[in-house]
Coordinates of all heavy atoms in Angstrom, one line a residue:
M843 N 26.7 11.9 9.8 CA 25.9 10.8 9.5 C 24.9 11.2 8.4 O 24.1 12.2 8.6 CB 25.1 10.4 10.8 CG 24.4 9.2 10.8 SD 24.0 8.5 12.3 CE 25.4 7.7 12.8
P844 N 24.8 10.4 7.3 CA 23.9 10.8 6.2 C 22.4 10.6 6.6 O 22.1 9.5 7.1 CB 24.4 10.0 5.1 CG 25.1 8.8 5.7 CD 25.6 9.3 7.0
E845 N 21.6 11.6 6.3 CA 20.2 11.4 6.6 C 19.6 10.9 5.3 O 20.1 11.1 4.2 CB 19.6 12.7 6.9 CG 20.1 13.3 8.2 CD 19.6 14.7 8.5 OE1 19.3 15.5 7.5 OE2 19.5 15.1 9.7
M846 N 18.3 10.4 5.4 CA 17.7 10.0 4.1 C 16.1 10.1 4.3 O 15.6 10.2 5.4 CB 18.0 8.6 3.7 CG 17.5 7.5 4.5 SD 17.8 5.8 3.8 CE 17.1 6.0 2.2
T847 N 15.5 10.1 3.2 CA 14.0 10.1 3.2 C 13.5 9.0 2.3 O 14.0 8.7 1.2 CB 13.5 11.5 2.5 OG1 14.0 12.5 3.3 CG2 12.0 11.5 2.5
V848 N 12.5 8.3 2.8 CA 11.8 7.2 2.1 C 10.4 7.7 1.8 O 9.7 8.1 2.7 CB 11.8 5.9 2.9 CG1 11.0 4.8 2.2 CG2 13.2 5.5 3.4
T849 N 10.1 7.8 0.5 CA 8.7 8.2 0.1 C 7.9 6.9 -0.2 O 8.3 6.0 -1.0 CB 8.9 9.1 -1.1 OG1 9.7 10.2 -0.8 CG2 7.5 9.6 -1.5
V850 N 6.7 6.9 0.4 CA 5.9 5.7 0.3 C 4.4 6.1 -0.2 O 4.0 7.3 0.1 CB 5.8 4.9 1.6 CG1 7.2 4.3 2.0 CG2 5.1 5.6 2.7
R851 N 3.8 5.2 -0.8 CA 2.3 5.4 -1.1 C 1.6 4.4 -0.3 O 1.8 3.2 -0.4 CB 2.0 5.2 -2.6 CG 0.5 5.3 -2.9 CD 0.2 5.1 -4.4 NE 0.8 6.2 -5.1 CZ 1.6 6.0 -6.2 NH1 2.0 4.9 -6.5 NH2 2.1 7.1 -6.8
W852 N 0.7 4.9 0.6 CA -0.1 4.0 1.4 C -1.3 3.5 0.6 O -1.6 3.9 -0.5 CB -0.6 4.8 2.6 CG 0.5 5.2 3.6 CD1 1.2 6.3 3.6 CD2 1.0 4.3 4.6 NE1 2.2 6.2 4.6 CE2 2.1 5.0 5.2 CE3 0.7 3.0 5.0 CZ2 2.8 4.4 6.3 CZ3 1.4 2.5 6.0 CH2 2.5 3.2 6.6
P853 N -2.0 2.5 1.2 CA -3.1 1.8 0.4 C -4.2 2.8 0.0 O -4.9 2.5 -1.0 CB -3.6 0.8 1.4 CG -2.5 0.5 2.3 CD -1.7 1.8 2.4
D854 N -4.4 3.9 0.7 CA -5.4 4.8 0.3 C -5.0 5.8 -0.8 O -5.7 6.7 -1.2 CB -6.0 5.6 1.5 CG -5.0 6.4 2.2 OD1 -3.8 6.5 1.7 OD2 -5.3 7.1 3.1
G855 N -3.7 5.6 -1.3 CA -3.2 6.5 -2.3 C -2.4 7.7 -1.7 O -1.8 8.4 -2.5
G856 N -2.5 7.9 -0.4 CA -1.7 9.0 0.2 C -0.2 8.7 0.1 O 0.3 7.6 0.3
V857 N 0.5 9.8 -0.2 CA 2.0 9.7 -0.3 C 2.6 10.4 0.9 O 2.2 11.5 1.3 CB 2.5 10.4 -1.6 CG1 4.0 10.4 -1.7 CG2 1.9 9.6 -2.8
A858 N 3.6 9.8 1.5 CA 4.2 10.4 2.7 C 5.8 10.1 2.6 O 6.2 9.1 2.1 CB 3.7 9.7 4.0
D859 N 6.5 11.1 3.2 CA 7.9 10.9 3.4 C 8.2 10.4 4.8 O 7.6 10.9 5.8 CB 8.6 12.3 3.2 CG 8.6 12.7 1.7 OD1 8.6 11.8 0.9 OD2 8.7 13.9 1.5
C860 N 9.2 9.5 4.9 CA 9.6 9.0 6.2 C 11.1 9.3 6.4 O 11.9 9.0 5.5 CB 9.4 7.5 6.3 SG 7.7 6.9 5.9
Y861 N 11.4 9.9 7.5 CA 12.8 10.4 7.7 C 13.6 9.3 8.4 O 13.1 8.6 9.3 CB 12.7 11.7 8.6 CG 14.1 12.0 9.1 CD1 15.0 12.7 8.4 CD2 14.5 11.6 10.4 CE1 16.3 13.1 8.9 CE2 15.7 11.9 11.0 CZ 16.6 12.6 10.2 OH 17.9 12.9 10.7
S862 N 14.8 9.2 8.1 CA 15.8 8.3 8.8 C 17.1 9.1 8.9 O 17.6 9.7 8.0 CB 16.0 7.0 8.1 OG 17.1 6.3 8.7
P863 N 17.7 9.0 10.1 CA 19.0 9.6 10.3 C 20.2 8.9 9.7 O 21.3 9.2 9.9 CB 19.1 9.8 11.8 CG 18.4 8.5 12.3 CD 17.3 8.4 11.3
S864 N 19.9 7.7 9.0 CA 20.9 6.8 8.5 C 20.5 6.2 7.2 O 19.2 6.0 7.0 CB 21.2 5.8 9.6 OG 22.0 4.7 9.0
L865 N 21.4 5.8 6.4 CA 21.1 5.1 5.2 C 20.7 3.6 5.4 O 20.4 2.9 4.5 CB 22.3 5.2 4.2 CG 22.7 6.6 3.8 CD1 23.9 6.5 2.8 CD2 21.6 7.3 3.1
V866 N 20.6 3.2 6.7 CA 20.3 1.8 7.0 C 19.0 1.4 6.4 O 18.8 0.2 6.2 CB 20.4 1.6 8.5 CG1 19.2 2.3 9.2 CG2 20.4 0.1 8.9
M867 N 18.1 2.3 6.1 CA 16.8 2.0 5.5 C 17.0 1.1 4.2 O 16.2 0.3 3.9 CB 16.0 3.2 5.2 CG 15.7 4.1 6.4 SD 14.6 3.2 7.6 CE 13.0 3.4 6.8
H868 N 18.2 1.4 3.5 CA 18.4 0.6 2.3 C 18.7 -0.8 2.6 O 18.5 -1.7 1.7 CB 19.7 1.2 1.6 CG 19.4 2.5 0.9 ND1 18.7 2.6 -0.3 CD2 19.8 3.8 1.2 CE1 18.6 3.8 -0.7 NE2 19.3 4.6 0.1
D869 N 19.0 -1.2 3.8 CA 19.2 -2.6 4.2 C 17.9 -3.3 4.4 O 17.9 -4.6 4.5 CB 20.0 -2.7 5.5 CG 21.4 -2.2 5.3 OD1 21.9 -2.0 4.2 OD2 22.1 -2.0 6.4
H870 N 16.8 -2.5 4.5 CA 15.5 -3.2 4.9 C 14.4 -2.9 3.9 O 13.4 -3.7 3.9 CB 15.1 -2.6 6.3 CG 16.0 -3.0 7.3 ND1 16.0 -4.2 8.0 CD2 17.1 -2.3 7.8 CE1 17.0 -4.2 8.9 NE2 17.7 -3.1 8.8
L871 N 14.5 -1.9 3.0 CA 13.5 -1.6 2.0 C 14.1 -1.4 0.7 O 15.3 -1.0 0.6 CB 12.7 -0.3 2.4 CG 12.0 -0.3 3.8 CD1 11.6 1.1 4.1 CD2 10.8 -1.3 3.7
E872 N 13.4 -1.6 -0.4 CA 13.9 -1.3 -1.7 C 13.0 -0.4 -2.5 O 11.7 -0.5 -2.5 CB 13.9 -2.6 -2.5 CG 15.0 -3.6 -2.1 CD 15.1 -4.8 -3.0 OE1 15.0 -4.6 -4.2 OE2 15.2 -5.9 -2.5
P873 N 13.5 0.6 -3.2 CA 12.7 1.5 -4.0 C 12.0 0.7 -5.1 O 12.6 -0.3 -5.7 CB 13.7 2.5 -4.6 CG 15.0 2.2 -4.1 CD 15.0 0.9 -3.3
G874 N 10.7 1.0 -5.2 CA 9.9 0.3 -6.2 C 9.2 -1.0 -5.7 O 8.4 -1.6 -6.3
A875 N 9.6 -1.4 -4.5 CA 9.1 -2.6 -3.9 C 7.7 -2.3 -3.2 O 7.5 -1.2 -2.8 CB 10.0 -3.2 -2.9
T876 N 6.9 -3.3 -3.2 CA 5.6 -3.3 -2.5 C 5.6 -4.2 -1.3 O 6.1 -5.4 -1.5 CB 4.5 -3.6 -3.4 OG1 4.5 -2.7 -4.5 CG2 3.2 -3.5 -2.8
Y877 N 5.1 -3.8 -0.1 CA 5.2 -4.6 1.0 C 3.8 -4.5 1.6 O 3.1 -3.5 1.6 CB 6.1 -4.0 2.1 CG 7.6 -3.9 1.6 CD1 8.0 -2.8 1.1 CD2 8.4 -5.0 1.7 CE1 9.4 -2.7 0.6 CE2 9.7 -5.0 1.3 CZ 10.2 -3.8 0.7 OH 11.5 -3.7 0.3
R878 N 3.4 -5.7 2.3 CA 2.2 -5.6 3.1 C 2.4 -4.6 4.2 O 3.5 -4.3 4.6 CB 2.0 -7.0 3.7 CG 1.5 -8.1 2.8 CD 1.5 -9.4 3.5 NE 1.0 -9.4 4.8 CZ -0.1 -10.1 5.3 NH1 -0.7 -10.9 4.4 NH2 -0.5 -10.0 6.5
V879 N 1.3 -4.0 4.7 CA 1.4 -3.0 5.7 C 2.1 -3.5 6.9 O 3.0 -2.8 7.5 CB 0.0 -2.4 6.1 CG1 0.0 -1.6 7.4 CG2 -0.6 -1.6 4.9
D880 N 1.8 -4.7 7.4 CA 2.5 -5.2 8.6 C 3.9 -5.5 8.3 O 4.8 -5.2 9.2 CB 1.8 -6.5 9.1 CG 1.7 -7.6 8.1 OD1 1.9 -7.4 6.9 OD2 1.3 -8.8 8.5
E881 N 4.3 -5.9 7.2 CA 5.7 -6.2 6.8 C 6.5 -4.8 6.7 O 7.6 -4.7 7.2 CB 5.8 -6.9 5.5 CG 7.2 -7.2 5.1 CD 8.0 -8.3 5.9 OE1 7.4 -8.8 6.8 OE2 9.2 -8.4 5.7
F882 N 5.8 -3.8 6.1 CA 6.5 -2.5 5.9 C 6.7 -1.9 7.3 O 7.8 -1.4 7.6 CB 5.6 -1.6 5.1 CG 6.1 -0.2 5.1 CD1 7.2 0.2 4.3 CD2 5.5 0.8 5.9 CE1 7.7 1.5 4.3 CE2 6.0 2.1 5.9 CZ 7.1 2.4 5.1
T883 N 5.7 -2.1 8.2 CA 5.8 -1.5 9.6 C 7.0 -2.2 10.3 O 7.8 -1.6 11.0 CB 4.5 -1.6 10.3 OG1 3.5 -1.0 9.6 CG2 4.6 -1.0 11.7
R884 N 7.0 -3.5 10.2 CA 8.1 -4.3 10.9 C 9.5 -3.9 10.3 O 10.4 -3.7 11.1 CB 7.9 -5.8 10.7 CG 8.9 -6.7 11.4 CD 8.8 -8.2 11.1 NE 9.1 -8.4 9.7 CZ 10.4 -8.4 9.2 NH1 11.4 -8.1 9.9 NH2 10.6 -8.6 7.9
R885 N 9.6 -3.9 9.0 CA 10.9 -3.5 8.4 C 11.3 -2.1 8.8 O 12.5 -1.8 9.2 CB 10.8 -3.6 6.9 CG 10.8 -5.0 6.4 CD 10.6 -5.1 4.9 NE 10.6 -6.4 4.3 CZ 11.6 -6.9 3.7 NH1 12.7 -6.2 3.5 NH2 11.5 -8.1 3.2
S886 N 10.4 -1.2 8.8 CA 10.6 0.2 9.2 C 11.0 0.3 10.6 O 12.0 1.1 11.0 CB 9.5 1.1 8.9 OG 9.2 1.1 7.5
S887 N 10.4 -0.4 11.5 CA 10.7 -0.4 12.9 C 12.1 -0.9 13.2 O 12.9 -0.3 13.9 CB 9.7 -1.3 13.6 OG 10.0 -1.3 15.0
T888 N 12.5 -2.0 12.5 CA 13.8 -2.5 12.7 C 14.8 -1.5 12.2 O 15.8 -1.3 12.8 CB 13.9 -3.9 11.9 OG1 13.0 -4.8 12.4 CG2 15.3 -4.4 12.0
A889 N 14.6 -1.0 11.0 CA 15.6 -0.1 10.4 C 15.7 1.2 11.2 O 16.8 1.7 11.4 CB 15.1 0.3 8.9
L890 N 14.6 1.8 11.7 CA 14.7 3.0 12.4 C 15.3 2.8 13.8 O 16.0 3.7 14.3 CB 13.3 3.7 12.5 CG 12.8 4.3 11.2 CD1 11.4 4.7 11.2 CD2 13.7 5.5 10.8
A891 N 15.1 1.6 14.4 CA 15.8 1.3 15.6 C 17.3 1.2 15.4 O 18.1 1.7 16.2 CB 15.2 0.0 16.2
E892 N 17.7 0.6 14.3 CA 19.1 0.5 14.0 C 19.7 1.9 13.7 O 20.8 2.3 14.2 CB 19.4 -0.3 12.8 CG 19.2 -1.8 13.0 CD 19.4 -2.6 11.8 OE1 20.2 -2.2 10.9 OE2 18.8 -3.7 11.7
A893 N 18.9 2.7 13.1 CA 19.4 4.1 12.7 C 19.5 4.9 14.0 O 20.5 5.6 14.2 CB 18.4 4.8 11.8
S894 N 18.6 4.8 14.9 CA 18.6 5.5 16.2 C 19.8 5.0 17.0 O 20.4 5.8 17.7 CB 17.3 5.4 16.9 OG 17.3 6.2 18.0
E895 N 20.1 3.7 17.0 CA 21.2 3.2 17.7 C 22.5 3.7 17.2 O 23.5 4.0 18.0 CB 21.2 1.7 17.7 CG 22.3 1.0 18.5 CD 22.3 1.4 20.0 OE1 21.2 1.8 20.5 OE2 23.4 1.4 20.6
R896 N 22.6 3.9 15.9 CA 23.8 4.5 15.3 C 24.0 5.9 15.8 O 25.2 6.3 16.1 CB 23.7 4.4 13.8 CG 23.8 3.0 13.2 CD 23.8 3.0 11.7 NE 23.9 1.7 11.2 CZ 24.0 1.4 9.9 NH1 24.1 2.3 9.0 NH2 24.1 0.1 9.5
V897 N 22.9 6.6 15.9 CA 23.1 8.0 16.4 C 23.5 7.9 17.8 O 24.4 8.7 18.2 CB 21.7 8.7 16.3 CG1 21.7 10.1 17.0 CG2 21.3 8.9 14.8
R898 N 22.9 7.0 18.6 CA 23.3 6.9 20.0 C 24.8 6.6 20.2 O 25.5 7.1 21.0 CB 22.4 5.9 20.8 CG 22.7 5.9 22.3 CD 22.3 4.7 23.0 NE 22.9 3.5 22.6 CZ 24.2 3.2 22.8 NH1 24.9 4.0 23.6 NH2 24.7 2.1 22.4
A899 N 25.3 5.6 19.4 CA 26.7 5.2 19.4 C 27.6 6.4 19.1 O 28.7 6.5 19.7 CB 26.9 4.0 18.5
R900 N 27.2 7.2 18.2 CA 28.0 8.3 17.7 C 27.9 9.5 18.6 O 28.9 10.2 18.8 CB 27.7 8.7 16.3 CG 28.6 9.7 15.7 CD 28.5 9.7 14.2 NE 29.5 10.7 13.7 CZ 29.6 10.9 12.4 NH1 28.9 10.3 11.5 NH2 30.6 11.7 12.0
Y901 N 26.7 9.9 19.0 CA 26.5 11.2 19.7 C 26.1 11.0 21.2 O 26.0 12.0 21.9 CB 25.4 12.0 19.0 CG 25.8 12.3 17.6 CD1 25.2 11.7 16.5 CD2 26.8 13.2 17.3 CE1 25.5 12.0 15.2 CE2 27.1 13.6 16.0 CZ 26.5 12.9 14.9 OH 26.9 13.2 13.7
G902 N 25.8 9.8 21.6 CA 25.5 9.6 23.0 C 24.0 9.7 23.4 O 23.6 9.6 24.5
F903 N 23.1 9.9 22.4 CA 21.7 9.9 22.6 C 21.0 9.4 21.4 O 21.5 9.4 20.2 CB 21.2 11.4 22.8 CG 21.7 12.4 21.8 CD1 21.0 12.6 20.7 CD2 22.8 13.1 22.0 CE1 21.4 13.5 19.7 CE2 23.3 14.0 21.1 CZ 22.6 14.2 19.9
T904 N 19.8 8.9 21.6 CA 19.0 8.4 20.4 C 18.4 9.5 19.6 O 18.4 10.7 20.1 CB 17.9 7.4 20.9 OG1 17.0 8.1 21.8 CG2 18.5 6.2 21.6
C905 N 17.9 9.2 18.4 CA 17.4 10.2 17.6 C 15.9 10.3 17.7 O 15.1 9.4 17.4 CB 17.7 9.8 16.1 SG 17.0 10.9 14.9
S906 N 15.4 11.5 18.2 CA 14.0 11.7 18.5 C 13.2 11.8 17.1 O 12.0 11.4 17.1 CB 13.8 13.0 19.3 OG 14.3 14.1 18.6
A907 N 13.9 12.3 16.1 CA 13.2 12.4 14.8 C 13.0 11.0 14.2 O 11.9 10.7 13.6 CB 14.1 13.2 13.8
S908 N 13.8 10.1 14.5 CA 13.6 8.7 14.0 C 12.4 8.1 14.8 O 11.6 7.4 14.2 CB 14.9 7.9 14.3 OG 14.8 6.6 14.0
A909 N 12.4 8.3 16.1 CA 11.2 7.8 16.9 C 9.9 8.5 16.4 O 8.9 7.8 16.3 CB 11.5 8.1 18.3
A910 N 9.9 9.7 16.1 CA 8.7 10.4 15.6 C 8.3 9.8 14.2 O 7.1 9.6 13.9 CB 9.0 11.9 15.5
S911 N 9.3 9.5 13.4 CA 9.0 8.9 12.1 C 8.3 7.6 12.3 O 7.3 7.3 11.6 CB 10.3 8.8 11.3 OG 10.1 8.7 9.9
L912 N 8.8 6.8 13.2 CA 8.2 5.5 13.4 C 6.8 5.6 14.0 O 5.9 4.9 13.6 CB 9.1 4.6 14.4 CG 8.6 3.2 14.7 CD1 8.3 2.5 13.4 CD2 9.6 2.5 15.6
D913 N 6.6 6.6 14.9 CA 5.3 6.8 15.4 C 4.3 7.1 14.3 O 3.2 6.7 14.3 CB 5.3 8.0 16.5 CG 5.9 7.6 17.7 OD1 6.1 6.4 18.0 OD2 6.3 8.5 18.5
R914 N 4.7 8.0 13.3 CA 3.8 8.3 12.2 C 3.5 7.1 11.4 O 2.4 6.9 10.9 CB 4.5 9.5 11.4 CG 4.3 10.8 12.0 CD 4.7 12.0 11.1 NE 6.1 11.9 10.7 CZ 7.2 12.3 11.4 NH1 7.0 12.8 12.6 NH2 8.4 12.2 10.9
I915 N 4.6 6.3 11.1 CA 4.4 5.1 10.3 C 3.4 4.2 11.0 O 2.4 3.7 10.4 CB 5.7 4.3 10.1 CG1 6.6 5.1 9.1 CG2 5.5 2.9 9.6 CD1 8.0 4.7 9.0
R916 N 3.5 4.0 12.3 CA 2.6 3.1 13.1 C 1.2 3.6 13.1 O 0.2 2.8 12.9 CB 3.1 2.8 14.5 CG 4.4 1.9 14.5 CD 4.8 1.7 15.9 NE 5.9 0.7 15.9 CZ 6.8 0.7 16.9 NH1 6.8 1.5 17.9 NH2 7.8 -0.2 16.8
A917 N 1.1 4.9 13.2 CA -0.3 5.5 13.3 C -1.0 5.4 12.0 O -2.1 5.1 11.9 CB -0.1 7.0 13.7
T918 N -0.2 5.7 10.9 CA -0.8 5.5 9.5 C -1.2 4.1 9.3 O -2.2 3.8 8.8 CB 0.1 6.1 8.5 OG1 0.4 7.4 8.8 CG2 -0.5 6.0 7.1
A919 N -0.2 3.2 9.6 CA -0.4 1.7 9.3 C -1.6 1.2 10.1 O -2.4 0.4 9.5 CB 0.8 0.9 9.7
S920 N -2.0 1.8 11.2 CA -3.1 1.3 12.0 C -4.5 1.5 11.3 O -5.4 0.9 11.7 CB -3.1 1.9 13.4 OG -3.4 3.3 13.3
R921 N -4.5 2.4 10.3 CA -5.7 2.7 9.6 C -6.0 1.7 8.5 O -7.1 1.7 7.9 CB -5.6 4.1 9.0 CG -5.4 5.2 10.0 CD -5.4 6.6 9.3 NE -5.4 6.7 7.9 CZ -4.5 7.4 7.2 NH1 -3.6 8.1 7.8 NH2 -4.6 7.5 5.9
F922 N -5.1 0.7 8.3 CA -5.3 -0.2 7.2 C -5.2 -1.7 7.7 O -4.7 -1.9 8.8 CB -4.1 0.0 6.1 CG -4.1 1.4 5.6 CD1 -3.1 2.2 6.0 CD2 -5.0 1.8 4.7 CE1 -3.0 3.6 5.5 CE2 -5.0 3.1 4.2 CZ -4.0 4.0 4.7
D923 N -5.7 -2.6 6.9 CA -5.5 -4.0 7.1 C -4.1 -4.4 7.0 O -3.4 -3.8 6.1 CB -6.4 -4.8 6.2 CG -7.9 -4.6 6.5 OD1 -8.3 -4.3 7.6 OD2 -8.7 -4.8 5.5
A924 N -3.7 -5.4 7.7 CA -2.3 -5.9 7.7 C -1.9 -6.3 6.3 O -0.8 -6.1 5.9 CB -2.1 -7.0 8.7
A925 N -2.8 -6.8 5.5 CA -2.5 -7.4 4.2 C -2.6 -6.3 3.1 O -2.2 -6.6 1.9 CB -3.5 -8.5 3.8
D926 N -3.0 -5.1 3.4 CA -3.0 -4.0 2.4 C -1.6 -3.7 2.1 O -0.6 -4.1 2.7 CB -3.7 -2.7 2.9 CG -5.2 -2.9 3.0 OD1 -5.8 -3.8 2.4 OD2 -5.8 -2.0 3.8
L927 N -1.4 -3.1 0.9 CA 0.0 -2.9 0.4 C 0.4 -1.4 0.4 O -0.3 -0.5 0.1 CB 0.0 -3.4 -1.1 CG -0.3 -4.8 -1.3 CD1 -0.3 -5.2 -2.8 CD2 0.6 -5.7 -0.5
V928 N 1.8 -1.3 0.8 CA 2.5 0.0 0.8 C 3.5 -0.1 -0.3 O 4.3 -1.1 -0.3 CB 3.2 0.2 2.2 CG1 4.0 1.5 2.2 CG2 2.1 0.2 3.3
E929 N 3.6 0.9 -1.1 CA 4.7 0.9 -2.2 C 5.8 1.9 -1.8 O 5.5 3.1 -1.4 CB 4.0 1.3 -3.5 CG 5.0 1.4 -4.6 CD 4.4 1.9 -5.9 OE1 3.2 2.2 -5.9 OE2 5.1 1.9 -6.9
V930 N 7.0 1.5 -1.9 CA 8.1 2.4 -1.7 C 8.4 3.1 -3.0 O 8.9 2.5 -3.9 CB 9.4 1.6 -1.2 CG1 10.6 2.6 -1.0 CG2 9.1 0.9 0.1
L931 N 8.1 4.4 -3.1 CA 8.3 5.1 -4.3 C 9.7 5.6 -4.6 O 10.1 5.6 -5.7 CB 7.3 6.3 -4.3 CG 5.8 6.1 -4.2 CD1 5.1 7.3 -4.0 CD2 5.3 5.2 -5.4
D932 N 10.4 6.0 -3.5 CA 11.7 6.6 -3.7 C 12.5 6.5 -2.4 O 11.9 6.5 -1.3 CB 11.6 8.0 -4.1 CG 12.9 8.6 -4.7 OD1 13.8 7.8 -5.1 OD2 13.0 9.8 -4.7
M933 N 13.8 6.4 -2.5 CA 14.6 6.5 -1.3 C 15.8 7.4 -1.7 O 16.6 7.1 -2.6 CB 15.2 5.1 -1.0 CG 14.0 4.1 -0.6 SD 14.6 2.4 -0.2 CE 15.3 2.6 1.4
Q934 N 15.9 8.5 -0.9 CA 16.9 9.5 -1.2 C 17.7 9.8 0.0 O 17.1 10.1 1.0 CB 16.2 10.8 -1.7 CG 15.6 10.7 -3.2 CD 16.7 10.4 -4.2 OE1 17.8 10.9 -4.1 NE2 16.4 9.5 -5.1
P935 N 19.0 9.9 -0.1 CA 19.8 9.6 -1.3 C 19.9 8.1 -1.6 O 19.7 7.3 -0.7 CB 21.2 10.2 -1.0 CG 21.3 10.1 0.5 CD 19.9 10.2 1.0
P936 N 20.1 7.8 -2.9 CA 20.2 6.4 -3.2 C 21.6 5.9 -2.7 O 22.5 6.7 -2.3 CB 20.2 6.4 -4.7 CG 20.6 7.7 -5.1 CD 20.2 8.6 -4.0
L937 N 21.7 4.6 -2.6 CA 23.0 4.1 -2.2 C 24.0 4.4 -3.4 O 23.6 4.3 -4.5 CB 23.0 2.6 -2.0 CG 22.4 2.1 -0.7 CD1 22.3 0.6 -0.7 CD2 23.2 2.6 0.5
P938 N 25.3 4.7 -3.0 CA 26.3 4.9 -4.1 C 26.5 3.5 -4.8 O 26.3 2.5 -4.2 CB 27.5 5.3 -3.4 CG 27.3 5.0 -1.9 CD 25.8 4.9 -1.7
P939 N 26.8 3.6 -6.1 CA 27.1 2.3 -6.8 C 28.2 1.5 -6.1 O 29.1 2.1 -5.6 CB 27.5 2.7 -8.2 CG 27.4 4.3 -8.3 CD 27.1 4.7 -6.9
A940 N 28.1 0.3 -6.2 CA 29.2 -0.6 -5.5 C 30.4 -0.4 -6.3 O 30.4 -0.4 -7.5 CB 28.7 -2.0 -5.6
S941 N 31.5 -0.2 -5.6 CA 32.8 -0.1 -6.3 C 33.3 -1.5 -6.6 O 33.1 -2.4 -5.9 CB 33.8 0.6 -5.4 OG 34.0 -0.1 -4.2
K942 N 34.0 -1.6 -7.7 CA 34.5 -2.8 -8.2 C 36.0 -2.8 -7.8 O 36.7 -1.9 -8.2 CB 34.4 -3.0 -9.7 CG 33.0 -3.2 -10.1 CD 32.9 -3.4 -11.6 CE 31.4 -3.6 -12.1 NZ 31.4 -3.9 -13.5
E943 N 36.4 -3.8 -7.1 CA 37.8 -3.9 -6.7 C 38.5 -4.6 -7.8 O 38.1 -5.6 -8.3 CB 37.9 -4.7 -5.4 CG 37.3 -3.9 -4.2 CD 37.6 -4.7 -2.9 OE1 38.6 -5.3 -2.8 OE2 36.7 -4.4 -2.0
T944 N 39.7 -4.1 -8.1 CA 40.5 -4.8 -9.1 C 41.7 -5.4 -8.4 O 42.3 -4.8 -7.4 CB 41.0 -3.8 -10.2 OG1 41.7 -2.6 -9.5 CG2 39.8 -3.3 -11.0
P945 N 42.2 -6.5 -8.9 CA 43.4 -7.1 -8.2 C 44.6 -6.4 -8.4 O 44.9 -5.5 -9.1 CB 43.5 -8.5 -8.9 CG 42.5 -8.6 -9.9 CD 41.7 -7.3 -9.9

């Protein structure tokens, strides 16, 4: 299962890496995008729950690192107003380019 890191800049300028055990984060966040703190927290929560469920389906247990990542996001987010902005600086690895099917 491919792991990934999402690098964000919080409203106070602090930069942090968020771990995910799955590339599913790409379904919920975009590199270069800016989200309100409450929206970033909601999207991250949904994505990390999906990632943890994928781990459970494959290995029979949820991902504790995913839960820890969400705990850190929530703790950091609680220091800011809901309307403050979080910027997604990078997502590694990036999604592979979409393949073009030929007839």
Side-chain angles (χ1 to χ4, degrees):
M843 188 164 279
E845 300 174 329
M846 71 173 303
T847 302
V848 178
T849 304
V850 299
R851 178 177 295 122
W852 289 97
D854 64 359
V857 174
D859 288 333
C860 306
Y861 167 83
S862 172
S864 166
L865 298 181
V866 72
M867 298 296 282
H868 284 288
D869 295 344
H870 299 275
L871 300 170
E872 289 186 42
T876 301
Y877 302 94
R878 289 172 42 120
V879 167
D880 57 347
E881 180 71 5
F882 174 75
T883 304
R884 184 190 64 75
R885 287 172 178 259
S886 297
S887 178
T888 299
L890 289 167
E892 286 178 29
S894 189
E895 183 57 27
R896 288 181 182 190
V897 170
R898 190 199 61 73
R900 184 164 186 179
Y901 299 108
F903 52 86
T904 59
C905 179
S906 60
S908 179
S911 204
L912 181 55
D913 287 346
R914 283 190 299 280
I915 288 169
R916 287 179 174 156
T918 303
S920 72
R921 299 185 349 233
F922 303 105
D923 290 333
D926 287 345
L927 300 177
V928 177
E929 181 182 3
V930 177
L931 300 175
D932 195 21
M933 297 176 77
Q934 289 298 322
L937 282 178
S941 62
K942 293 185 178 181
E943 293 186 26
T944 55

